[in-house]
Every structure is written in C-alpha cells, then in structure tokens.
Amino acid sequence: MSRSRSRVAAPLVIALALVMTPGLTACGNPIESIIEGATGGNVDLGGTTLPADYPTAEVPLIEGSIINAGSIGNDEGKIFNVTISVSDASAFDTITAQLEAAGFVSPTEVSSGAEGGTYLGSTDAWGVVVIVSQDGSNGWVANYTVTSAQQ
C-alpha cells in the first residue's frame, strides 16, 4: 500500500474501529488484529483508558472522563484518538489555552461558539485536531485526534 493511501486509510480504519469497539469489548476484541493486519501498525483500542504511550507531557488533555481512546501506528508514525466528557462549550477555551501553553501553533483562525469549536494546531513533533461538540448520548465531548510529525 502506498504511503499516501495509508495516510487516508489509517484514520478511516481507526474511526470505524472506534465506533465498533464498544460492542465488541464484552466478547474480546478481534478488531485489533484485523486492523493491525490491514495497516501493518500496532493498534490499541483502549476503551476508557488512555493508551500507555500517549504523549501526555507534550499534548495535554482536558480533565474529564475518557469515553473512548485508542491508537494505531508504529515507530514510523502514530495516531491517537481520545474522546473526553466535558462540561460544556466553554471547555474549548481551556483546551486551546492548554495546547498553546504546550507550544502548539494554529495555522488557521480558531473557530468556536455556543455549539463548541474546532482547533487545528501543531508543534515540531505533533499535530492535533480537537473538536468540542454536544453529543446526544454523552453530553458535551472533546475529541482529540493526535498524529506524530512523521505522518
């Protein structure tokens, strides 16, 4: 599989896996093996725990209950996806301040409002997209997609 095709396929596979994971956790999770075989990367569909290798010192997360977390990749690059329960749309301002304090710079204007917001930023080592929105079943959530610079 070409590198550019794999860049598109990996996030799609992650999204599909994260949607399917809650239904599979009760009976074991064969989806990790399927994704690992399809992408050639290591997969951690951690559920409600942060993957052990998440870069907490470099990419801060807002405090809250983890609804879902996972990762895919290897030494050449890693993608993490973490969804956290937050109080309301104002969590977006806290998240933006945390990321900027950690050295993230956004190449676009940050968009936020009463419905939440979207932040896109990067450092030399990491890229991040955070979306704060209202989710019907979980209330307000912050979804972080974090990619290593090698991506």
Side-chain angles (χ1 to χ4, degrees), residues 83-128:
T83 303
I84 299 174
S85 178
V86 296
S87 58
D88 55 34
S90 68
F92 182 78
D93 295 331
T94 301
I95 292 166
T96 300
Q98 287 176 320
L99 291 169
E100 289 175 354
F104 281 83
V105 176
S106 181
T108 63
E109 187 173 325
V110 175
S111 63
S112 67
E115 276 97 43
T118 303
Y119 180 88
L120 168 69
S122 63
T123 64
D124 289 341
W126 299 100
V128 65

Side-chain angles (χ1 to χ4, degrees), residues 4-15:
S4 63
R5 186 171 170 200
S6 133
R7 285 184 183 171
V8 172
L12 293 175
V13 170
I14 289 171

